[in-house]
Amino acid sequence: MRDLVAGMRYLGKGQRWVAQHGRWWGFGLIPALIALVLYAAVLTVLAIWSGDIAAWATPFADGWDSPWQGLLRGVFVALLFAGGLMLSVLTFTAVTLLIGDPFYESLSEKVEESEGHCPPSPGRPLWQEIWIALRDSVHVLLRAAGFGLLLFVLGFIPFIGQTVIPAIGFCVSGFFLAVELTSVAMQRRDIPVRERLRLLRGRKGLAVGFGTPIVLLFLIPFVAVVLMPGAVAGATLLVRDLVPGPDERSEPERGEAAAGPDQAAAPYGQPGAPGGFGPPPAPFPPNQGHPPAPRYPHQQSGPGSSAARPPAGW
């Protein structure tokens, strides 16, 4: 439950960041506006040709009497357009990220710089970055389509299919949308798509809490365009928590990493520690048959601890 609330907060933090940096909000709108124009053109063409598509798909109804022929093809047109609209909602983020890869990469870098540290990019050429983004998006969309097909079949179960299954569907869509949005910051850290999925599965509440409100808001016309820059900024902040770099750790962790395992294990003021007196203790003190176990007070278990998080170089 804590991760679920934390994911929602990251969405708010991202929108607040772009509100405080209006120039970057306008910069991040450009890819979303381009994608909106493309989707509007495709949906307009679909609406114009939907009648002909319905007639082509239902040749068996050519000899039907009125009103049955018109009723059947009218239902087909409605379902066709509704399906196209739903597909547009599900793919809008992936297409926008693909179109705006250079835009959102710059926006994400600016967010990380404002937080104090920006991991260096892998240094690949632009065409290779776009190819990787396209390949990863197809990988994620195929997985999402598999879940969508399963949920579609389960939707025919009476009562559950009309209540529980739609709610699960929104959560699943939110998870995969979070995967798409975090891909900008994850790709900078050179984390492959399978590892991204594993990381977010380990923090499902965080991913669902971040992505599901965006899915619901994106159902409102034009809202996706306005919220897209803030969604990328919030996803970048989420990745910084999920995969902290060496300069994003706490002060005790950085001090121990710089001192080395031997010095970090000894308290300050004792032999062998920084500021201590005398030579460091022998590895096997007298009257002991085994070496003393070093103390690492910063290592903790649990999904939220820094020890359990993978390094930024993954």
Side-chain angles (χ1 to χ4, degrees), residues 91-280:
T91 59
F92 180 84
T93 301
V95 173
T96 304
L97 290 174
L98 187 64
I99 294 172
D101 185 78
F103 293 85
Y104 292 131
E105 178 65 29
S106 299
L107 172 62
S108 180
E109 286 181 0
K110 187 65 178 178
V111 172
E112 301 227 46
E113 288 173 2
S114 69
E115 294 296 311
H117 170 68
C118 180
S121 62
R124 289 185 288 259
L126 179 60
W127 68 268
Q128 192 173 2
E129 293 283 349
I130 295 176
W131 166 249
I132 293 174
L134 175 61
R135 182 191 63 193
D136 293 349
S137 294
V138 170
H139 181 87
V140 173
L141 287 175
L142 288 176
R143 284 176 174 259
F147 279 97
L149 182 61
L150 175 62
L151 293 172
F152 176 77
V153 173
L154 294 176
F156 290 99
I157 301 175
F159 183 73
I160 295 178
Q162 293 75 47
T163 54
V164 178
I165 299 302
I168 295 176
F170 280 119
C171 292
V172 171
S173 299
F175 174 84
F176 284 108
L177 184 59
V179 175
E180 286 285 355
L181 289 170
T182 55
S183 65
V184 178
M186 293 276 199
Q187 191 169 325
R188 186 185 310 113
R189 289 163 170 81
D190 210 16
I191 302 176
V193 63
R194 296 180 188 277
E195 188 61 27
R196 299 173 206 168
L197 288 165
R198 189 193 67 80
L199 286 169
L200 289 171
R201 280 200 302 266
R203 302 284 294 276
K204 289 187 184 73
L206 192 67
V208 171
F210 178 76
T212 303
I214 302 178
V215 171
L216 296 174
L217 290 170
F218 277 15
L219 294 175
I220 305 173
F222 305 109
V223 169
V225 178
V226 178
L227 295 184
M228 193 64 185
V232 173
T236 301
L237 296 172
L238 186 151
V239 171
R240 288 176 64 86
D241 175 54
L242 192 65
V243 190
D247 291 342
E248 299 163 21
R249 295 174 296 180
S250 62
E251 289 297 330
E253 288 177 312
R254 288 201 294 267
E256 290 175 358
D262 294 334
Q263 292 182 347
Y268 186 89
Q270 292 187 7
F277 302 98

Side-chain angles (χ1 to χ4, degrees), residues 51-64 69 72-73 76:
D52 295 334
I53 295 173
W56 171 81
T58 58
F60 55 86
D62 289 341
W64 288 14
Q69 183 191 81
L72 172 67
R73 290 179 175 171
F76 185 92

